[in-house]
Amino acid sequence: MSGTVLRHIHYMPEGVVFMAKNILEMRNITKEFPGVRALDQVNFQVQEGEIHGLVGENGAGKSTLIKILGGVHSYGKYSGDIVLGEQIQKFSGISASEKQGISIIYQELALIPEMSVYENIFLGHEIERNGIVNWNETRIRAIDMLKKVKLDVHPNTKIVDLGVGKQQLIEIAKALSKEVKLLILDEPTAALNNDDSENLLQLLKELKLHGVTCILISHKLKEVISVADTVTVLRDGKTVHTMKKELSEINERDIIKHMVGREIEDVFPKRSNKNFGEVQLEVKNWTAFDKKLGRNVVQDVDFNVRSGEIVGIAGLMGAGRTEFAHSIFGNFKGYQLSGDIQIQGEKVNMKSPRNAIKNGLAYVSEDRKGNGLILETDVKQNITLANLKQISSAKIINKNEEIKVAEKFRKSLRIKTPSIEQKVKNLSGGNQQKVAIAKWLFSEPNILILDEPTRGIDVGAKQEIYTIMNNLVSQGLCVIMISSELPEVLGMSDRVYVMAEGKMIGQLPIGEATQEKIMSMATV
Amino acid sequence: MSSISNKIDKIIPKSIKENIRDYGMYIALAVIILIFNYLTQGLFLTPRVISDLFNMTGYIAVLAVGMTLIIVIRHIDLSVGFIAGFLGALAAILSSRFGLPIWLIIPIVMSAGAIIGMGNGFIVANLGVPAFVVTLAGMLVFRGALIRITKSQTIFTGNDAFNAIGNGYIPDIANIDGVHLLTIIFGIIGIVLFTYFEARNRQKQLAYSLKVSTMPLFIAKILFVSTVIMYFVWKLASFRGLSWTVLIVALVVGIYHFITKHTTLGRHIYAVGGNPEAAELSGISVKFTTHIVFASMTMLAALSGILFTARLQSASPTAGTLFELDAIAAAYVGGVSASGGVGKVTGSIIGALVMASLTKGMDLMVVGVSYQYMIKGLILVAAVVFDVRTRNMKSKRI
Ligand SMILES: Nc1ncnc2c1ncn2[C@@H]1O[C@H](COP(=O)(O)OP(=O)(O)OP(=O)(O)O)[C@@H](O)[C@H]1O
Ligand SMILES: [Mg+2]
């Protein structure tokens, strides 16, 4: 057994000799799932006190690597060694890993929505004596933790009542309350808007000053570059490259090149001939009242989209964009509606998503796990679910046709899965998103609503999705794209609407839209 | 620890391990039958006992089929026991007092069942009352209704054709040496159909260049299943042949198996169970699906009631007591998942057979009723533990 001391000496550019100790070393890690080798002899080193960016395409193995580190895939289910503080670790489970000061914030948030902030922060490691929880102490400590993450909410607030950005900070507070030494975040900013992301990154830098080492997984390369001291690139389950800030090696171009194995010239592919036709969907005076919240989530919205057009809807988190989409897509949440909705100039009354689909609408949800996909079923059944009619006669499903359809989408969207019989829950996050998009493309919509279509998706796949969008509109479809990524909105849309507090603040032709203009409209 | 699991990996081929949940129930049933057969010195596997085993499972089996789908969509139905009792009594009255023929009684009573079920489904799906509460209320209501309709007395059906459904056997074309020929013919038809569909399926999978089992393995499977079918058919044939009950249950299972596997409705049911929100957004009406599943449940409860009444040749004011719990147990033993979206109707039938085999076997061994209940309770927990464990194994390792 090799328990050697691992010390590397780096010469700083200034010539200062600096002893950097590896807090973590993962050696020759291999992990196989049936049909996939998710990790193949991965070597990965993290130095004490640094922020380490871990990047790679969807399905490259990032989440798997940290799940091994976190004891989710316990000792014996992978090969290779985890060396932590000079000792080989054999984690039997999550708690064994936590005991060593490792805390992971997973891609899927793990908070209990109906519980309060303080209960959540200490969930699983309650402050107790003889099994009796000391709630006063808990509340006081929770307030401390909230201060540390600079979050100004009352500890009694329920998680459901917080936005995603704040929930993310609660996750970090939870990690901090466990005396974390190594904090790992798997795509923490995927669902956050610019301000919240900025906030979170700032927090990471501060934690670094307090000696917390941090591994950051993200598809937002700019963020990684802005905070990371070291960046490791994974590709197809192998470590392909490591870059150091102190050697000025970190830049976006190189990261992308190593991630995808080729250079990507233009993330936003250009459309050659723009050809706008008739107005396909028109909404007037549209108001949606949420009975549960007791207020209008959408108010007096006028909106339209023409065939051949990509319309972007920008705005901050909570601006009512998703609610607007829900309300026009068959009013799935049961709002009280008023106003007119017309499809191809005809007034329609879409009472259910079923009805909306019949009218040619499709909605790719922002929340693919919550209400986009059936995780327990396989890829092919998910793809065909919204249009079973197409592959069945007399209500009887033609399974062969189903396989054909699913294979077609697997190829055209390059969904990375060992087979179309794989359960969707076993796919990487980005590939799940592709399945969700495939599902709606198969319903052959006339108006496609994409809600945060590239959340958690790697650059290469992003470009593929943009290309698909371009192809669709050049066939005369309309695309409505809700997005919090301003570069994406600016890069892809023909027209931009800006929403804030449930209202359409205004619209900008793409020629006049800039980040600054949109932001100033969004923050009225 | 890992070396052990590595060894297990080597011994058990992957395909079997992946399907352990599917095969597990069949293996458990076989083991239970063999153990009882050994303990009763071969009494268990005699034609009379086998025939009786199948017949006594009938009315719970049809309930278990309906309950499977209810649990798949994350609900529960506690009312079906007394609904079966009530509708069984209704059938007995239609037969004895109004003299209706059985072929008319069955559709009338089953329609009545479906309508009651729609009521349940409506309250659950449209008014948002938890199914547990709605059907608990239904249980009370129909318990009362049963006492009312029977006036606290046993009602005899007074009709041989009616009673035949629960006790009778299909007629024979020719009886050779005490062996029921038509039963044998049905058995052979069953095997031919099974082989045909399996082969066709394999052909298709090959045409789509999917993974299939090797030819010898495939033939071995066909031979094995055929032998098992033929064995039981032979047992039935050398008693009095196929009973109407078994025929009806087979028909119900066949239809439900087809619906769940091959139709859009079946797909919708599993989608609703797997993730109701995603299903709704995919254009599936969760309400409609819930109505259908509840209606189907009580429709089958009606059938169950008829079978039970026919079996006892009468309706009693306590008929149906605890049927619902037997059906729920059968479904769980048969591998339905409480978290929704997972479970097969064929599994639940095997579950029902497992529970019935336990009862039958322990009766033959003259085990006291008190022990029987305790043992069955333990078996139920064990089955679900097995289910949960294998599921975890799957998600961790695969
Ligand atoms: N439980 C599982 N069963 C089967 N395959 C799995 C499982 N978990 C992950 N995989 C596979 O392992 C590979 C790596 O997945 P992983 O989730 O680590 O990717 P990732 O780099 O985190 O991607 P993303 O950026 O999309 O989140 C993928 O091909 C995925 O399909
Ligand atoms: Mg991931």
Side-chain angles (χ1 to χ4, degrees):
Chain A
M1 289 276 157
S2 57
T4 43
V5 184
L6 297 152
R7 281 175 202 280
H8 297 275
I9 297 175
H10 284 287
Y11 293 93
M12 303 289 282
E14 299 85 10
V16 183
V17 180
F18 175 67
M19 295 268 283
K21 203 172 107 197
N22 278 343
I23 184 169
L24 166 75
E25 179 166 355
M26 296 179 82
R27 290 191 207 133
N28 298 327
I29 304 281
T30 298
K31 168 77 190 166
E32 287 187 36
F33 298 108
V36 220
R37 176 169 287 195
L39 296 174
D40 188 5
Q41 301 276 337
V42 167
N43 285 299
F44 179 58
Q45 288 144 12
V46 179
Q47 285 178 10
E48 187 148 18
E50 73 171 347
I51 297 181
H52 194 121
L54 181 59
V55 298
E57 284 184 283
N58 297 126
K62 305 177 296 291
S63 298
T64 306
L65 187 68
I66 62 151
K67 279 183 185 159
I68 287 176
L69 184 54
V72 175
H73 302 304
S74 55
Y75 179 72
K77 296 197 177 137
Y78 59 90
S79 67
D81 289 330
I82 302 174
V83 182
L84 205 65
E86 299 170 15
Q87 260 179 353
I88 294 186
Q89 305 287 342
K90 301 178 179 178
F91 296 136
S92 56
I94 297 172
S95 56
S97 159
E98 280 185 352
K99 261 199 202 108
Q100 297 295 323
I102 295 176
S103 195
I104 302 181
I105 298 174
Y106 291 100
Q107 219 160 342
E108 310 80 26
L109 289 178
L111 300 169
I112 314 289
E114 285 298 329
M115 281 191 189
S116 68
V117 165
Y118 70 88
E119 282 170 302
N120 265 287
I121 291 180
F122 288 94
L123 191 69
H125 57 285
E126 288 78 7
I127 303 170
E128 46 102 44
R129 177 179 290 168
N130 305 326
I132 298 165
V133 180
N134 184 342
W135 287 120
N136 292 327
E137 175 80 17
T138 305
R139 242 171 251 134
I140 292 166
R141 293 265 302 274
I143 293 172
D144 263 5
M145 293 302 150
L146 290 174
K147 262 189 212 135
K148 274 197 191 160
V149 297
K150 303 208 162 47
L151 184 57
D152 186 25
V153 298
H154 196 279
N156 287 356
T157 321
K158 273 191 191 169
I159 296 295
V160 266
D161 300 329
L162 296 178
V164 219
K166 289 184 175 153
Q167 292 187 11
Q168 198 64 262
L169 294 177
I170 301 282
E171 282 271 14
I172 296 182
K174 187 172 164 185
L176 293 180
S177 72
K178 290 186 250 187
E179 310 283 317
V180 57
K181 278 190 231 134
L182 180 57
L183 178 66
I184 302 166
L185 303 105
D186 196 353
E187 297 189 40
T189 59
L192 303 193
N193 63 30
N194 283 345
D195 281 353
D196 285 342
S197 303
E198 199 47 52
N199 206 346
L200 187 131
L201 296 175
Q202 201 51 44
L203 180 65
L204 294 188
K205 284 191 195 164
E206 267 165 48
L207 290 175
K208 175 171 133 182
L209 295 179
H210 290 94
V212 178
T213 314
C214 185
I215 300 174
L216 173 67
I217 297 178
S218 179
H219 288 292
K220 297 186 179 172
L221 300 180
K222 294 208 167 59
E223 291 177 3
V224 175
I225 293 166
S226 75
V227 295
D229 302 301
T230 312
V231 173
T232 297
V233 184
L234 275 185
R235 187 166 83 224
D236 293 332
K238 300 191 183 75
T239 4
V240 290
H241 201 61
T242 303
M243 312 171 192
K244 296 251 168 225
K245 188 179 200 165
E246 61 208 43
L247 303 177
S248 312
E249 290 171 332
I250 303 179
N251 65 69
E252 188 165 351
R253 222 186 136 80
D254 282 347
I255 294 180
I256 293 180
K257 204 175 74 198
H258 287 113
M259 267 176 69
V260 241
R262 65 191 153 94
E263 305 229 3
I264 289 194
E265 286 309 323
D266 196 354
V267 185
F268 304 111
K270 292 277 166 293
R271 226 176 330 147
S272 43
N273 54 333
K274 296 197 177 184
N275 224 334
F276 305 140
E278 300 285 301
V279 170
Q280 296 292 310
L281 170 77
E282 170 122 47
V283 175
K284 282 187 195 139
N285 280 328
W286 191 249
T287 298
F289 177 77
D290 187 328
K291 284 171 241 166
K292 273 193 221 122
L293 297 178
R295 63 179 168 86
N296 287 339
V297 284
V298 176
Q299 203 171 342
D300 292 327
V301 164
D302 292 327
F303 175 90
N304 66 55
V305 56
R306 293 168 291 174
S307 63
E309 188 180 34
I310 299 178
V311 170
I313 307 183
L316 299 179
M317 208 64 58
R321 297 169 301 167
T322 296
E323 288 78 358
F324 173 61
H326 282 173
S327 71
I328 58 176
F329 187 69
N331 191 22
F332 150 70
K333 288 276 160 78
Y335 303 129
Q336 235 162 346
L337 298 179
S338 66
D340 272 359
I341 182 163
Q342 294 182 353
I343 285 188
Q344 291 174 337
E346 269 186 52
K347 238 172 113 166
V348 284
N349 180 9
M350 291 182 284
K351 285 202 207 82
S352 64
R354 188 185 177 79
N355 217 284
I357 294 169
K358 278 208 187 109
N359 278 298
L361 263 69
Y363 170 63
V364 180
S365 163
E366 64 171 339
D367 176 9
R368 59 177 169 253
K369 291 218 169 116
N371 53 29
L373 296 169
I374 318 273
L375 298 175
E376 282 287 339
T377 47
D378 63 21
V379 172
K380 69 174 171 359
Q381 296 197 12
N382 269 286
I383 291 179
T384 56
L385 189 60
N387 195 10
L388 284 173
K389 221 169 43 220
Q390 185 84 15
I391 53 160
S392 46
S393 53
K395 305 260 175 207
I396 295 167
I397 298 170
N398 180 341
K399 301 252 166 113
N400 298 327
E401 216 28 60
E402 177 168 55
I403 293 172
K404 228 157 75 188
V405 167
E407 281 296 351
K408 193 187 93 197
F409 280 107
R410 170 158 90 137
K411 289 209 187 77
S412 65
L413 298 193
R414 292 201 243 161
I415 301 170
K416 200 174 163 199
T417 168
S419 84
I420 51 171
E421 265 86 31
Q422 180 74 294
K423 280 188 185 174
V424 167
K425 72 168 182 198
N426 291 338
L427 299 193
S428 77
N431 284 300
Q432 291 181 349
Q433 179 69 354
K434 288 190 191 172
V435 172
I437 290 179
K439 165 178 166 180
W440 287 108
L441 290 182
F442 179 57
S443 79
E444 295 175 351
N446 189 23
I447 301 159
L448 178 65
I449 309 171
L450 298 166
D451 199 346
E452 307 287 358
T454 62
R455 174 179 293 174
I457 283 204
D458 69 58
V459 257
K462 253 184 208 167
Q463 197 199 28
E464 284 164 25
I465 288 173
Y466 297 145
T467 310
I468 292 166
M469 287 166 63
N470 280 345
N471 288 343
L472 292 176
V473 287
S474 58
Q475 290 160 26
L477 270 70
C478 351
V479 171
I480 301 170
M481 180 179 69
I482 298 172
S483 173
S484 305
E485 300 288 310
L486 285 182
E488 170 174 286
V489 172
L490 294 171
M492 289 304 297
S493 320
D494 300 313
R495 196 148 54 95
V496 182
Y497 281 93
V498 184
M499 265 187 102
E501 292 173 355
K503 300 190 197 88
M504 277 300 173
I505 301 301
Q507 53 169 310
L508 299 164
I510 195 63
E512 295 171 21
T514 60
Q515 295 224 9
E516 292 70 32
K517 266 193 195 161
I518 292 177
M519 281 320 288
S520 75
M521 286 166 84
T523 49
V524 283
Chain B
M1 198 196 105
S2 72
S3 70
I4 294 173
S5 65
N6 279 342
K7 262 182 218 142
I8 293 175
D9 280 356
K10 270 183 212 130
I11 299 165
I12 308 175
K14 211 179 245 161
S15 61
I16 293 187
K17 222 179 73 193
E18 280 171 23
N19 293 315
I20 189 89
R21 270 157 53 78
D22 294 347
Y23 294 133
M25 283 307 122
Y26 293 93
I27 295 169
L29 180 60
V31 168
I32 288 172
I33 289 179
L34 290 178
I35 288 179
F36 278 126
N37 195 45
Y38 172 76
L39 292 176
T40 58
Q41 281 107 35
L43 193 57
F44 197 92
L45 281 176
T46 52
R48 170 185 290 278
V49 173
I50 290 296
S51 179
D52 197 37
L53 175 70
F54 283 145
N55 292 342
M56 70 185 247
T57 316
Y59 61 92
I60 294 299
V62 288
L63 280 183
V65 168
M67 195 61 81
T68 307
L69 299 188
I70 293 274
I71 300 176
V72 162
I73 64 164
R74 308 181 181 194
H75 289 305
I76 196 79
D77 195 334
L78 300 175
S79 65
V80 291
F82 283 112
I83 288 180
F86 171 75
L87 291 174
L90 180 68
I93 289 170
L94 288 178
S95 170
S96 64
R97 197 165 316 151
F98 297 93
L100 291 190
I102 183 68
W103 56 265
L104 207 57
I105 293 178
I106 293 181
I108 291 176
V109 174
M110 284 178 75
S111 312
I115 292 169
I116 296 171
M118 276 182 215
N120 277 345
F122 178 83
I123 301 175
V124 170
N126 297 52
L127 306 184
V129 183
F132 191 94
V133 178
V134 175
T135 60
L136 184 63
M139 178 174 163
L140 297 173
V141 167
F142 284 98
R143 182 171 204 171
L146 172 60
I147 296 173
R148 261 234 82 73
I149 197 174
T150 56
K151 305 203 177 74
S152 301
Q153 274 158 6
T154 300
I155 301 171
F156 289 93
T157 57
N159 181 315
D160 288 343
F162 191 117
N163 296 343
I165 286 194
N167 299 304
Y169 297 82
I170 59 170
D172 200 0
I173 37 180
N175 197 304
I176 305 162
D177 283 340
V179 172
H180 198 280
L181 188 61
L182 192 56
T183 302
I184 299 284
I185 292 177
F186 272 161
I188 291 172
I189 292 176
I191 290 173
V192 169
L193 282 180
F194 173 75
T195 313
Y196 171 72
F197 282 119
E198 285 290 307
R200 202 180 68 158
N201 194 15
R202 191 169 187 274
Q203 277 303 316
K204 277 189 188 162
Q205 288 180 333
L206 278 176
Y208 279 86
S209 49
L210 296 171
K211 267 192 309 189
V212 291
S213 50
T214 58
M215 201 58 185
L217 209 67
F218 176 73
I219 292 175
K221 180 183 167 191
I222 298 280
L223 279 182
F224 179 73
V225 174
S226 305
T227 315
V228 171
I229 294 179
M230 218 47 222
Y231 178 79
F232 284 104
V233 165
W234 184 259
K235 290 279 174 192
L236 292 181
S238 40
F239 186 59
R240 282 200 232 148
L242 205 57
S243 66
W244 286 109
T245 304
V246 169
L247 198 66
I248 290 173
V249 172
L251 207 63
V252 168
V253 174
I255 293 172
Y256 272 77
H257 181 71
F258 181 80
I259 291 176
T260 50
K261 278 267 175 196
H262 294 282
T263 65
T264 52
L265 175 65
R267 191 60 66 77
H268 290 179
I269 291 171
Y270 285 86
V272 167
N275 186 342
E277 297 221 312
E280 181 77 39
L281 275 181
S282 305
I284 295 167
S285 169
V286 174
K287 280 183 190 164
F288 177 75
T289 311
T290 309
H291 294 169
I292 291 284
V293 171
F294 271 93
S296 112
M297 172 78 263
T298 16
M299 189 182 76
L300 291 177
L303 186 59
S304 165
I306 294 173
L307 288 177
F308 187 67
T309 306
R311 189 171 163 78
L312 298 189
Q313 310 192 354
S314 62
S316 87
T318 56
T321 313
L322 294 185
F323 282 13
E324 68 283 349
L325 297 187
D326 282 341
I328 293 169
Y332 278 124
V333 170
V336 178
S337 152
S339 50
V342 179
K344 292 184 183 163
V345 288
T346 44
S348 300
I349 290 298
I350 299 300
L353 274 175
V354 165
M355 296 310 260
S357 303
L358 289 171
T359 311
K360 191 83 213 169
M362 289 189 287
D363 277 347
L364 289 178
M365 292 173 61
V366 210
V367 175
V369 173
S370 52
Y371 288 116
Q372 289 204 13
Y373 278 126
M374 292 188 231
I375 290 171
K376 281 201 265 183
L378 293 178
I379 294 279
L380 175 59
V381 172
V384 178
V385 168
F386 173 80
D387 179 58
V388 172
R389 297 301 304 173
T390 49
R391 193 194 314 279
N392 284 350
M393 179 169 93
K394 238 177 150 176
S395 60
K396 264 189 224 146
R397 313 195 112 248
I398 293 174

